[in-house]
Amino acid sequence: TPGLDLTPAGVASAEPVRSGPPTIEEAKSFWSFKPIEKSAVPRVHHVEWVRNPIDAFVLAKLESKGMSPAQPADRIALLRRAYYDLTGLPPMPAEVNAFVADPSPDAYEKEIDKLLASPHYGEKWGRYWLDLVRYGESNSYERDNPKPNVWRFRDYVIRSFNDDKPYDRFVKEQLAGDEMPEAAENADPIIATGFYRLGIWDDEPNDRLQARYDNLDDLVTATGQVFLGLTVDCARCHNHKIDPIPQADYYRLLAFFQNINGYSNGGPTDEMPIVSAAGRQAYEARRKEREERRKNAEATARQMEEDFRQLLSGEPGRVKIADAEIPHLIRKEGKRVLGAERFAQYEKLRKEFDSLAKDSVSTDMALCVTERGAHAPDTFICLRGNANVPGDKVVPGFPQVLGGRGAVIPEPPKGAKTSGRRTVLANWIASTENPLFARVMANRLFQYHFGRGIVRSPNNFGMQGDKPTHPELLDWLATQFVEGGWRMKSMHRLIMTSNAYRMSSKGGPAALAADPQNDLLWRFDLRRLTAEELRDSILSLDGTLNLKMYGPSVYPHIPREVMAGQSVPGKGWDESTPEEAARRSVYVHVKRSLQVPILQSFDTAETDRSCPVRFVTVQPTQALGMLNGSFIHSEAAKLAARLKKEAGDDRAKQVAFAWRLATCREPSPQEIDRSLKLMESLQKQDGATPDQAMNYFCLMVMNLNEFVYLD
C-alpha cells in the first residue's frame, strides 16, 4: 500500500512513516479492496501433478521455491478425511471396505458426491456458519435465560446447506428475509432473520440508550466481519486506526439497522408465527376472530361496569365513584346492585376477556427481527461512542473504500411494516460490485477444508489482517464461486478433488526446515477432530449415536460439580432422555454460561462474538476428561457391550473390531497382541474383572491419537 510503513521497528526504511491509515484513495489499491479479476492459471513444469487449476496455483509457488508437493495420502486416510470434512462423522467399516475394494478411477469422486448428498453434510457445514454468526441459545450475563425458539435458526442453516442454497440468497435471507415477497408463503426467510437476535443481551442495563447502541454495535460488528471481512466496529468511537474506515462510515452502516425493534427476549417484536400461505390465512382469520371476541367481551363488560357505577352512585349517601375502585366494588356488591343474573353474566364476560387477552392463537413461532414501522428515525454519530452525546447526522451508506455511494432507499409501499433499508444493504453486500463478499467466503471454504485460509485472518481482510499466501488462487476461486451461481457444493467438489487436497500430512526434513508453517501448501495439515466431531465419533464408535435431525435442542447429562459453577446451579438445563442426549452435538443446547464438559474442553466456539477460527489447545483438562470423565467411562462400557454383541466372545476378534471402528483400518498382529496383553495385565496385576479389563481397553481405544486426529 503506498505510504503504509510495514517495516519492523528498528529497521531503516526509505518510505516516510505514516502516523495513521492511508487515505481512502490510496487504500483502494490494497489487494482486498480492488475489484476481483479472474487470475490466469499459471504454467508449471510438472504438469502431470495438476488435476485441476487449484493444483497449478499451488505447484507454481512450490516450484518457484524449489520445493515439491508431498506424496498422496493413502486411501483410508483420504476417505476418513473426506467423511469428516463433509459430514463430521467417521466412515463405517463396510464403507471403508467398499471404497478400498473399488478399482474404478473415479471411486473417490463418487464418494465425494455421495457425501455431498448426505443430510449430515448440512449438520457439519451448518456448524461452521453458526460459529461465524455468534450462535447462542441463551442471553449471557447472570441470568443467561434461553432465547425463545432460537433452534429454528440452527435448523434453517442446516437445511440451507443441504439444499445447496446459493450463498448470496442465504445471506440476503438473514439480513432482510422478512422484507422478501416470499416471506408471505415460506417460513425460511422469517426464521433466517433470527441472525439479528443471536447475540448477548443485558436484561437490566444501567443506561438503556447506551445498551441499545451496544446491541446495534453487535449487528454492525457481525455484519462487517462475517460478510465483508472488515473490523468496521473499530470505528465506533473514532476513525479506524488501521483501515480506511472513518467513524462516519460506521454510523452510515449502523443506520441500516436503526429502525429495528430492540430485543426483549420474546413477544410480538421478537417472534412471528411461521405457517404456510394457506395456513397463514387460517391463522389470521382465527386471530382476528379471537380479537373481535375479546373486544366485544370487553365492551359489554365495560358497559355493565358503567351501569353498575350509575346505579351505585344513585344510592343515598354515595359520593362520586372513581374508576384503580369499580373492580373492587363490583366484586363486593355487583350481585346486589346488578342482580344475580346480570352479575353472573358480567363474571362470565370478565373471565372470557381475561382468557382471550392472555392466550394467543396456537401456532409455531420463530425468533426473528421486526421494525418500528415504515419510517426509520434519524441516525447521528455518537461522539466518542457515547450514545448520549449525538454529533452530525448521517444517512445509510456503504464504506467509502468500497465505492462509498449513499444508499438509495425506495419509499416504502403503503402498509409496509419495515423501512426497506436492510434489503438495500443486503443487495449491496451480496453483489459483485462488492469485491469482499466473494473473496471472504471463497477463503472460508478453502479454510474449512485445508485447516487455514489463504488469508489466515478470515474475519479481517483489512490492513492489519494477514496477507494472502496465494492471492491469485483466492481471486480465481472467488470468480469460480460467482460464475457457479454461488453454489457451495460445486466448490467443495472442486477443492476436494484437487491433488493439493489429497496430499499426505507427512513431511520431510528439508521441506519442514524451508517452510515449517506450510504457507506454501506443500503438504496437508494434520488436524485434531473438532469438539463436536470428537463427541459424535465416540457415540458412533459405541453404536449409540442418534441420527435424528432437527427440532428443539437437547440437554446431555452435566455433572453436578460443573453445574455448581452457575449462580443458580442447574438453572436452565433440563436433562434429556438418554436416547435424545445421544443426538449429534450440533443439536446440543448452547447455553453461554454452561457447556457440556467434553465440548468445552476441546475448544467449542466462543459465542459472544463471531468465531472465524477456533482455538486448538492442548492442555491437561482434555487428557483428564478423556481418561477420568464420567462421560468417557460410560461410553467405553457401551463400546465394550457392542464388541461382545457384534464380534462374539473371542477377545481377539473384539479387539480387531474395536481397532477397525476407531481407526478405519485393520490392526497389525502386534497391535492385537499388545491389546490382549493389556487386558491380561489389568486382570492379573490390578485385580480387574474381565468386564472391567475390557472397559479399560475400550477407554484406551477412545484415547488413541489415531482416533482423535486426522492425517
Side-chain angles (χ1 to χ4, degrees), residues 353-368:
F353 170 76
D354 290 343
S355 174
L356 291 169
K358 290 178 183 176
D359 298 339
S360 59
V361 177
S362 177
T363 189
D364 290 334
M365 304 293 286
L367 189 66
C368 64

Side-chain angles (χ1 to χ4, degrees), residues 478-513:
T479 306
Q480 287 292 115
F481 192 28
V482 176
E483 291 178 352
W486 303 99
R487 298 283 183 175
M488 284 183 269
K489 288 190 177 182
S490 61
M491 294 296 290
H492 294 309
R493 198 176 196 281
L494 175 69
I495 291 170
M496 295 180 72
T497 54
S498 69
N499 273 333
Y501 178 84
R502 301 190 201 193
M503 285 190 288
S504 168
S505 64
K506 295 180 175 62
L512 285 169

Side-chain angles (χ1 to χ4, degrees), residues 342-413:
R342 287 199 74 197
F343 179 68
Q345 183 185 4
Y346 171 81
E347 289 277 82
K348 182 179 179 181
L349 284 168
R350 287 302 310 181
K351 288 180 181 178
E352 181 181 8
F353 170 76
D354 290 343
S355 174
L356 291 169
K358 290 178 183 176
D359 298 339
S360 59
V361 177
S362 177
T363 189
D364 290 334
M365 304 293 286
L367 189 66
C368 64
V369 76
T370 60
E371 291 195 12
R372 299 174 177 183
H375 299 284
D378 292 334
T379 298
F380 299 88
I381 293 175
C382 297
L383 300 183
R384 299 187 66 82
N386 189 336
N388 296 286
V389 187
D392 293 339
K393 179 180 174 180
V394 296
V395 296
F398 311 120
Q400 296 173 56
V401 74
L402 297 175
R405 62 178 175 84
V408 179
I409 312 293
E411 183 65 23

Side-chain angles (χ1 to χ4, degrees), residues 181-369:
E182 302 92 314
E185 301 180 0
N186 183 353
D188 270 7
I190 298 295
I191 297 171
T193 65
F195 161 79
Y196 288 94
R197 306 308 197 189
L198 299 178
I200 63 174
W201 177 64
D202 186 355
D203 58 6
E204 51 177 7
N206 292 327
D207 183 334
R208 293 195 176 276
L209 180 61
Q210 189 68 28
R212 171 170 171 75
Y213 275 82
D214 288 344
N215 292 332
L216 290 171
D217 179 70
D218 168 64
L219 301 180
V220 173
T221 300
T223 300
Q225 293 185 11
V226 175
F227 307 128
L228 301 175
L230 290 179
T231 56
V232 181
D233 48 305
C234 292
R236 180 182 183 182
C237 305
H238 47 67
N239 293 343
H240 202 296
K241 298 297 186 183
I242 306 295
D243 291 339
I245 303 173
Q247 190 182 16
D249 276 7
Y250 171 92
Y251 286 94
R252 278 151 52 97
L253 187 58
L254 182 146
F256 286 103
F257 308 125
Q258 185 67 272
N259 201 39
I260 288 173
N261 282 308
Y263 178 65
S264 57
N265 206 43
T269 60
D270 288 335
E271 297 178 278
M272 289 181 64
I274 49 170
V275 289
S276 64
R280 186 175 296 277
Q281 292 177 359
Y283 166 80
E284 287 296 332
R286 293 197 307 273
R287 188 188 63 78
K288 288 179 180 177
E289 185 268 338
R290 180 180 283 269
E291 182 63 15
E292 195 64 31
R293 285 173 55 200
R294 187 191 67 79
K295 287 181 179 178
N296 289 338
E298 181 182 31
T300 306
R302 295 285 185 230
Q303 184 58 55
M304 294 180 76
E305 288 173 354
E306 184 58 30
D307 291 347
F308 172 79
R309 182 209 298 271
Q310 295 293 336
L311 290 169
L312 197 61
S313 298
E315 293 182 350
R318 288 283 184 182
V319 296
K320 185 176 180 181
I321 302 172
D323 289 344
E325 290 186 86
I326 292 295
H328 169 70
L329 289 173
I330 201 169
R331 283 195 299 270
K332 184 178 179 182
E333 301 192 57
K335 190 172 183 179
R336 177 183 68 79
V337 175
L338 294 174
E341 186 176 344
R342 287 199 74 197
F343 179 68
Q345 183 185 4
Y346 171 81
E347 289 277 82
K348 182 179 179 181
L349 284 168
R350 287 302 310 181
K351 288 180 181 178
E352 181 181 8
F353 170 76
D354 290 343
S355 174
L356 291 169
K358 290 178 183 176
D359 298 339
S360 59
V361 177
S362 177
T363 189
D364 290 334
M365 304 293 286
L367 189 66
C368 64
V369 76

Side-chain angles (χ1 to χ4, degrees), residues 13-140:
S13 171
E15 295 290 332
V17 176
R18 180 182 291 278
S19 60
T23 66
I24 289 172
E25 285 306 311
E26 288 174 336
K28 286 181 179 178
S29 64
F30 188 67
W31 72 267
S32 66
F33 301 141
K34 292 193 294 187
I36 298 173
E37 295 182 2
K38 190 168 186 177
S39 308
V41 179
R43 294 184 177 182
V44 295
H45 295 296
H46 297 282
V47 293
E48 70 282 357
W49 191 77
V50 176
R51 190 179 293 269
N52 69 34
I54 293 175
D55 299 327
F57 285 103
V58 171
L59 187 58
K61 282 269 188 180
L62 290 172
E63 290 182 341
S64 72
K65 302 294 183 180
M67 297 178 66
S68 302
Q71 293 297 310
D74 67 66
R75 284 175 73 86
I76 292 179
L78 183 62
L79 184 70
R80 193 165 179 258
R81 183 186 299 173
Y83 264 76
Y84 275 108
D85 263 15
L86 289 180
T87 69
L89 295 170
M92 293 294 100
E95 293 166 327
V96 176
N97 291 342
F99 175 66
V100 171
D102 188 346
S104 60
D106 63 344
Y108 174 70
E109 285 78 3
K110 289 188 294 187
E111 288 293 328
I112 297 299
D113 289 339
K114 181 182 77 173
L115 294 172
L116 287 172
S118 167
H120 304 308
Y121 158 77
E123 294 172 323
K124 166 65 178 178
W125 279 79
R127 181 61 257 183
Y128 286 136
W129 190 256
L130 298 177
D131 281 12
L132 289 171
V133 295
R134 81 254 186 259
Y135 179 78
E137 299 185 0
S138 63
N139 296 321
S140 191

